[in-house]
């Protein structure tokens, strides 16, 4: 684990790590001299050596000042290195998450991904920087402290060192417990952060259904579970610390008793005792740090396993085809396609259709019939369980993913927006689009006037998720972004006029009819305006195409289509 972490994240910061270790080394060396100087000063005071006292006290003051300066420098450099390494880890992990297969990514709770990206990365990053930067401190402290304590009293030193194996044995006994509790805590935190995320996303529905109290009780339940596991952790760590403290107290009493005897016999001075205790404390700090790193490693192992799990996830590009789609999409087919999000819950069942000419095509059916899934399969967010999807008479898997999506413009019912200006959000579809082109398209979809009435017009900040926009404005801006995308030959539109009023819907329908003269436009809609203008409508029932035809044809022959749009009675009356 350690070598892999170093190669992947720490090696690129090697120069800064060396500089940090150098600072730590000098600081530790300076601090290590302080106990010796302090002991000498005490003996000088006892012997009333005034002249030597002034020199030694100035030297001691200089050591303390230098130790403080190097401590501050160590903190600054150390924090920069830690943050830089963590940022590098987070960047690499986020790049994998956004390229992960969509179907697999959706199996993770959103809070779980956040927990791994933020907290697991920080735990691993902090631990390894702490480990690397502590090596020199531990080494120097061990060498210097052991040298001085044996120099002062080998008998006291042997007694002290006999306790170290006992302290390490405590770690060995409890480390499995620490790791087990860490895993349990991670699982609870994943669910906790996912629950919080769901509250923030669905705050209005929660109010609408009047379930604030229920959600509050659920939240309190999570807090209670987290408190329970936190207390188990604290009890375990406190138990380890208590046993260590008891051993340390026993050792201190033994050493003080022995030292008292030696001093009364004239075999040690008071200064020797002070110096011995100071260096013994330094030795204990080094040993304590080793034990602390060993114990913390149990939690780090859990976090590292979770990061490794994400790194093992296959990326979309790992199933990329070799063929570059260097022509316009002129034909789209599905043959006997089966698909399910979860085993045993079929969404598409032997679905088949053939679109081989430009035009506006629509899919109609009840909610959950699989209409949106068809669009996602064409975008290659998912792969069918069985069957074949063909684009330009070639299997869709044969194409490079990037070249395929370059030819496709996809818009969900709820367009996404990032925190940024109107210009920035619209250029997500085409980063090269100039201001003139953007404003032209916005006039076309009927959103230009709304933008001009905003405080900063096209430089107005759109808040995350488009919170400061109406649902209709979101859809118009989403459509503008779609139409700004260049070289598009296949449009996949999912309920893109659902929040538009009649006049705005007719305007968008006019635009799409014009676009459909040279491109394939596949539309999912429950609204009649686009259905009436569709070249063909595919009616889906039980995961397959139950009927096909124009709006007028389906009103005459399809009971399901009539039922969907409440037209059955009108048809009967007209006969």
């Amino acid at each position: 684990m350690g070598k892999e972490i170093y190669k992947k994240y720490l090696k690129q910061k090697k120069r800064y790590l060396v500089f940090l270790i150098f600072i730590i080394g000098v600081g530790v060396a300076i601090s290590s001299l302080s106990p010796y100087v302090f002991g000498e000063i005490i003996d000088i005071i006892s012997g009333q050596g005034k002249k030597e006292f002034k020199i030694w006290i100035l030297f001691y003051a200089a050591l303390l000042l230098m130790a403080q300066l190097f401590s501050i420098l160590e903190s600054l450099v150390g924090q920069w290195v830690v943050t830089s390494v963590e940022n590098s880890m987070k960047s690499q992990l986020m790049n994998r998450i956004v390229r992960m297969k969509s179907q697999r990514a959706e199996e993770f709770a959103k809070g779980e991904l956040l927990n791994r990206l933020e907290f697991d990365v920080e735990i691993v990053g902090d631990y390894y920087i702490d480990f690397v930067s502590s090596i020199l401190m531990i080494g120097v402290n061990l060498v210097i402290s052991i040298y001085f304590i044996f120099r002062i009293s080998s008998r006291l030193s042997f007694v002290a060192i006999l306790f170290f194996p006992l302290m390490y044995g405590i770690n060995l006994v409890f480390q499995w417990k620490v790791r087990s509790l860490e895993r349990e805590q991670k699982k609870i935190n994943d669910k906790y952060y996912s629950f919080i995320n769901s509250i923030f996303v669905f705050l209005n529905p929660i109010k609408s259904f009047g379930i604030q109290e229920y959600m509050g009780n659920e939240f309190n339940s999570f807090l209670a579970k987290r408190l329970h596991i936190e207390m188990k952790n604290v009890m375990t760590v406190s138990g380890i610390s208590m046993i260590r403290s008891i051993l340390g107290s026993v050792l201190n009493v033994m050493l003080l008793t022995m030292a008292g005897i030696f001093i009364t016999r004239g075999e040690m001075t008071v200064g020797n005792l002070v110096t011995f205790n100071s260096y013994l404390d330094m030795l204990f700090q080094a040993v304590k740090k080793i034990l602390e790193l060993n114990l913390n490693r149990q939690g780090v192992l859990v976090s590292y396993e979770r990061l490794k799990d994400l790194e093992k996830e296959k990326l979309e590009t790992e199933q990329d085809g070799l063929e570059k789609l260097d022509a316009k999409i002129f034909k789209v087919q599905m043959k006997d396609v089966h698909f399910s999000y979860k085993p045993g819950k079929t969404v598409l069942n032997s679905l088949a259709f053939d679109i081989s000419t430009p035009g506006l095509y629509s899919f109609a059916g009840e909610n959950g019939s699989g209409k949106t899934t068809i669009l996602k399969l064409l975008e290659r967010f998912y792969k069918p369980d069985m069957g074949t999807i063909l684009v330009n008479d070639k299997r869709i898997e044969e194409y490079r993913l990037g070249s395929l999506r370059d030819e496709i413009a996809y818009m969900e019912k709820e367009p996404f927006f990032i925190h940024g200006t109107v210009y920035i959000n619209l250029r997500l579809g085409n980063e090269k689009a100039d201001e003139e082109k953007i404003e032209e398209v916005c006039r076309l979809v009927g959103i230009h006037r709304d933008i001009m009435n905003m405080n900063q017009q096209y430089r107005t900040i759109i808040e995350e998720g488009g919170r400061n926009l109406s649902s209709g404005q979101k859809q118009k801006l989403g459509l503008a972004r779609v139409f700004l995308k260049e070289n598009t030959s296949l449009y996949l539109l999912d309920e893109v006029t659902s929040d538009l009023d009649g006049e705005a819907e007719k305007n968008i329908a006019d635009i799409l009819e014009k676009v459909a003269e040279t491109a394939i436009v596949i539309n999912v809609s429950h609204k009649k305006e686009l259905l009436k203008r569709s070249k063909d409508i595919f009616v889906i029932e039980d995961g397959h195409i139950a009927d096909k035809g124009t709006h007028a044809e389906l009103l005459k022959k399809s009971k399901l289509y009539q039922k969907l749009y409440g037209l059955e009675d009108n048809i009967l009356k007209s006969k």
Side-chain angles (χ1 to χ4, degrees), residues 185 188-189 224-236:
Q185 189 171 41
I188 290 174
N189 283 341
K225 290 176 183 177
R226 294 185 80 211
L227 176 61
H228 177 68
I229 189 65
E230 284 283 355
M231 291 310 298
K232 286 172 71 175
N233 250 327
V234 170
M235 288 175 66
T236 302

Side-chain angles (χ1 to χ4, degrees), residues 173-315:
V173 170
F174 284 96
Q175 65 182 19
W176 68 269
K177 180 68 173 177
V178 173
R179 193 182 305 184
S180 175
L181 287 173
E182 189 69 27
R183 284 199 180 95
E184 190 176 344
Q185 189 171 41
K186 293 295 182 185
K187 289 178 182 178
I188 290 174
N189 283 341
D190 286 344
K191 294 176 182 177
Y192 172 73
Y193 290 118
S194 295
F195 182 78
I196 290 176
N197 183 66
S198 68
I199 288 179
F200 293 156
V201 172
F202 301 112
L203 196 56
N204 286 337
I206 288 170
K207 293 177 181 178
S208 175
F209 283 99
I211 57 173
Q212 295 96 323
E213 185 175 352
Y214 170 79
M215 298 302 282
N217 290 337
E218 287 292 298
F219 182 69
N220 289 336
S221 175
F222 274 112
L223 292 179
K225 290 176 183 177
R226 294 185 80 211
L227 176 61
H228 177 68
I229 189 65
E230 284 283 355
M231 291 310 298
K232 286 172 71 175
N233 250 327
V234 170
M235 288 175 66
T236 302
V237 173
S238 298
I240 296 170
S241 297
M242 183 182 70
I243 296 171
R244 284 181 188 162
S245 297
I246 291 172
L247 288 172
S249 299
V250 171
L251 176 62
N252 283 331
V253 171
M254 289 179 63
L255 292 176
L256 187 59
T257 302
M258 293 175 67
I261 294 171
F262 296 158
I263 290 172
T264 56
R265 291 177 180 173
E267 297 174 9
M268 281 185 71
T269 65
V270 174
N272 288 155
L273 177 59
V274 171
T275 303
F276 181 87
N277 281 337
S278 297
Y279 280 112
L280 184 62
D281 183 62
M282 185 186 297
L283 178 60
F284 269 108
Q285 289 301 320
V287 173
K288 182 181 177 182
K289 188 64 179 180
I290 293 171
L291 298 176
E292 180 185 302
L293 288 170
N294 174 261
L295 206 59
N296 290 345
R297 187 174 183 270
Q298 309 315 309
V300 173
L301 284 170
V302 176
S303 291
Y304 185 68
E305 286 167 5
R306 287 157 56 86
L307 297 181
K308 286 292 290 182
D309 286 343
L310 284 182
E311 290 179 355
K312 289 176 184 176
E313 293 293 337
K314 290 186 178 180
L315 307 182

Side-chain angles (χ1 to χ4, degrees), residues 336-404:
D336 193 30
V337 169
H338 296 250
F339 180 80
S340 57
Y341 290 99
K342 293 182 179 179
K345 294 185 178 181
T346 302
V347 178
L348 301 180
N349 183 25
S350 297
L351 185 132
F353 67 84
D354 187 330
I355 296 174
S356 55
T357 57
L360 175 60
Y361 300 87
S362 292
F363 285 88
E366 295 179 333
N367 288 331
S369 60
K371 305 182 297 295
T372 297
T373 301
I374 293 170
L375 304 187
K376 291 181 177 180
L377 287 170
L378 290 172
E379 262 283 271
R380 279 187 65 188
F381 292 150
Y382 306 109
K383 185 179 179 181
D385 301 328
M386 289 176 55
T388 306
I389 302 175
L390 300 172
V391 170
N392 293 359
D393 295 318
K394 285 187 179 179
R395 292 170 65 92
I396 198 169
E397 296 88 355
E398 294 180 22
Y399 292 113
R400 294 181 195 169
L401 199 55
S403 68
L404 177 72

Side-chain angles (χ1 to χ4, degrees), residues 24-66:
I24 292 170
V26 175
V28 169
I30 292 171
S31 299
S32 299
L33 287 174
S34 298
Y36 174 76
V37 175
F38 188 71
E40 289 293 320
I41 290 173
I42 289 177
D43 284 339
I44 290 170
I45 293 172
S46 302
Q48 296 183 344
K50 295 182 180 179
K51 190 173 183 180
E52 293 86 352
F53 174 76
K54 291 179 182 179
I55 297 171
W56 280 97
I57 201 71
L58 288 173
F59 183 44
Y60 185 63
L63 283 176
L64 293 178
L65 178 60
M66 290 176 65

Side-chain angles (χ1 to χ4, degrees), residues 4 62 169 182 191 201 331 335 391 475 484 491 498 530:
E4 190 172 351
E182 189 69 27
K191 294 176 182 177
V201 172
K331 193 173 185 179
K335 296 182 178 181
V391 170
Q475 287 197 322
L484 280 167
Y491 291 82
S498 60
L530 285 172

